[in-house]
Amino acid sequence: MARAISAEELAGHRAENDCWIAIHGDVYDVSSFVGEHPGGKHLLMDVAGYDGTAAFQTMHQKDIIDQKLPRWQGSIRDSSVGKRA
């Protein structure tokens, strides 16, 4: 069963070495990928601690998640998570 993650918990992970992002309702720890992101770490840091689905969808297909973001943490518990485009 997926672990439910609140907006508050997600928002507590906004540092380069502790960076979580929600995409399509699931939360990923992208800390180890921040420095490797082809578009630059600033793109990940702009959505760190938020729902980055809109920003993600502008550049990626959904299946890239399984290839690049294996550190799944859980699912968003409610819809109060802030969204970043």
Side-chain angles (χ1 to χ4, degrees):
M1 186 161 111
R3 183 164 84 85
I5 295 173
S6 69
E8 294 80 21
E9 183 177 3
L10 177 62
H13 298 274
R14 293 184 182 153
E16 285 184 31
N17 65 345
D18 183 20
C19 183
W20 289 13
I21 298 172
I23 302 172
H24 299 294
D26 292 323
V27 177
Y28 298 88
D29 179 347
V30 298
S31 305
S32 64
F33 184 65
V34 170
E36 299 174 23
H37 188 266
K41 66 181 174 184
H42 69 282
L43 295 175
L44 294 178
M45 296 312 301
D46 285 349
V47 295
Y50 293 97
D51 182 342
T53 301
F56 176 84
Q57 287 178 256
T58 63
M59 298 297 293
H60 304 90
Q61 296 292 323
K62 190 173 180 182
D63 65 348
I64 196 79
I65 291 173
D66 295 330
Q67 298 169 25
K68 298 290 183 181
L69 302 179
R71 295 195 61 197
W72 180 73
Q73 298 299 308
S75 298
I76 296 299
R77 178 174 31 192
D78 56 46
S79 61
S80 66
V81 172
K83 298 185 184 321
R84 290 274 173 108

